[in-house]
Amino acid sequence: MSLRGVAKEYGTGEAKVVALGGVDLEIPYGELVLLVGPSGCGKTTLISVVAGLLDPTRGEAEVLGHNLTRMGGTRKVNFRGANIGFVFQQYNLLPTMTAVENACVPLLIAGWPRKKALVKAAGLLEAVGLGGRANSLPSQLSGGQQQRVAIARALVHEPRLLVCDEPTAALDAQSGRTVMGLIRQVAVQPDRAVIVVTHDSRVYDFGDRIVEMSDGKIDRIKTGRTEAGWNAAGH
Ligand code: ADP
Ligand code: MG
């Protein structure tokens, strides 16, 4: 997958903000890519383009073998629903639905029968360590538990591309490690791609590649993490 010359500007005239200034990036399969950089440097904008949630002002995104930028509205919505999972910083759970009902939403959208979807979603909740909380409402769960429900929801339809925006920002260290371990375990497979935006240096060792951004550009890409982590690799 790749981005070619992707630029994004918000607003016009005096109010114009250049969020991405022509970014080229290869996104490999089978790796967890971390996207890091200071607040406002364009990380959320970049992954929104990769995930087909935002059209770039210029340039093109080739995602899972499709030119997402040229794909029309309805087709893009369907493509996203079938192939892309999202985890947002603020969870975005539906407050009136239980954990398991939240987690099965992508399957219902894909047309699964409700009963079958609930069974599959319950399995995912089990995998994220929330088997006992399937019938809890989001308001009855801690931040870390809600984020794990959001991850179960993002993975339930086995998306080939998983995009996470600061998934550990609201979590304590232990929950953060659980969440990152889970993302690695479920989503890092030869035919899948995972991008995680993070501010949180504690999660660096979960990444196979670190893409460093500043000011709407990519400054540097680090590869070659050793088993002992990035520091031991001489970075
Ligand atoms: P990051 O995720 O790295 O913090 P963003 O991609 O959210 O950065 O933002 C990049 C730049 O674009 C920032 O200057 C931000 O203020 C601006 N920006 C983001 N979204 C909008 C928007 N909807 N309208 C106007 N400016 C925006
Ligand atoms: Mg952001």
Side-chain angles (χ1 to χ4, degrees), residues 1-7 20 23-25 27 45-71 76 79 84 161 195:
M1 306 200 300
S2 63
L3 300 180
R4 290 281 165 258
V6 167
L20 295 175
V23 168
D24 294 315
L25 180 66
I27 301 157
T45 302
L46 189 148
I47 61 163
S48 300
V49 171
V50 173
L53 293 169
L54 191 69
D55 286 326
T57 310
R58 286 183 299 283
E60 302 200 336
E62 187 271 308
V63 173
L64 301 171
H66 294 265
N67 186 322
L68 209 52
T69 320
R70 293 211 201 119
M71 201 182 278
K76 185 146 74 178
F79 177 80
I84 304 178
L161 170 63
I195 307 173

Side-chain angles (χ1 to χ4, degrees), residues 38-45 47 89 165-166 197 199:
S39 185
C41 73
K43 305 181 296 295
T44 296
T45 302
I47 61 163
Q89 187 173 348
D165 200 354
E166 310 210 23
V197 168
H199 238 59

Side-chain angles (χ1 to χ4, degrees), residues 5-207:
V6 167
K8 178 68 189 178
E9 291 154 11
Y10 294 105
T12 53
E14 296 262 297
K16 187 165 97 174
V17 175
V18 178
L20 295 175
V23 168
D24 294 315
L25 180 66
E26 288 294 329
I27 301 157
Y29 289 97
E31 289 190 14
L32 195 158
V33 176
L34 293 176
L35 185 60
V36 308
S39 185
C41 73
K43 305 181 296 295
T44 296
T45 302
L46 189 148
I47 61 163
S48 300
V49 171
V50 173
L53 293 169
L54 191 69
D55 286 326
T57 310
R58 286 183 299 283
E60 302 200 336
E62 187 271 308
V63 173
L64 301 171
H66 294 265
N67 186 322
L68 209 52
T69 320
R70 293 211 201 119
M71 201 182 278
T74 310
R75 226 185 121 217
K76 185 146 74 178
V77 170
N78 292 335
F79 177 80
R80 256 193 344 240
N83 295 295
I84 304 178
F86 308 95
V87 178
F88 301 98
Q89 187 173 348
Q90 296 306 332
Y91 329 137
N92 291 351
L93 299 179
L94 297 162
T96 59
M97 287 173 36
T98 64
V100 70
E101 287 169 342
N102 267 286
C104 79
V105 164
L107 297 177
L108 297 180
I109 291 172
W112 282 44
R114 182 175 165 85
K115 234 179 179 165
K116 214 175 138 201
L118 285 168
V119 169
K120 175 108 198 253
L124 261 292
L125 285 182
E126 199 75 53
V128 300
L130 286 179
R133 304 306 302 269
N135 296 316
S136 301
L137 292 169
S139 59
Q140 297 166 325
L141 299 172
S142 71
Q145 290 171 331
Q146 291 182 54
Q147 189 59 302
R148 281 185 274 160
V149 175
I151 286 166
R153 179 182 57 187
L155 295 174
V156 75
H157 57 316
E158 299 175 26
R160 291 185 59 211
L161 170 63
L162 178 68
V163 176
C164 307
D165 200 354
E166 310 210 23
T168 64
L171 307 184
D172 61 78
Q174 183 53 44
S175 303
R177 296 188 70 80
T178 303
V179 158
M180 289 304 297
L182 198 74
I183 290 172
R184 266 206 86 79
Q185 179 196 325
V186 186
V188 179
Q189 295 183 34
D191 61 341
R192 293 191 182 181
V194 185
I195 307 173
V196 176
V197 168
T198 189
H199 238 59
D200 182 355
S201 59
R202 297 172 306 181
V203 311
Y204 284 8
D205 283 339
F206 289 89

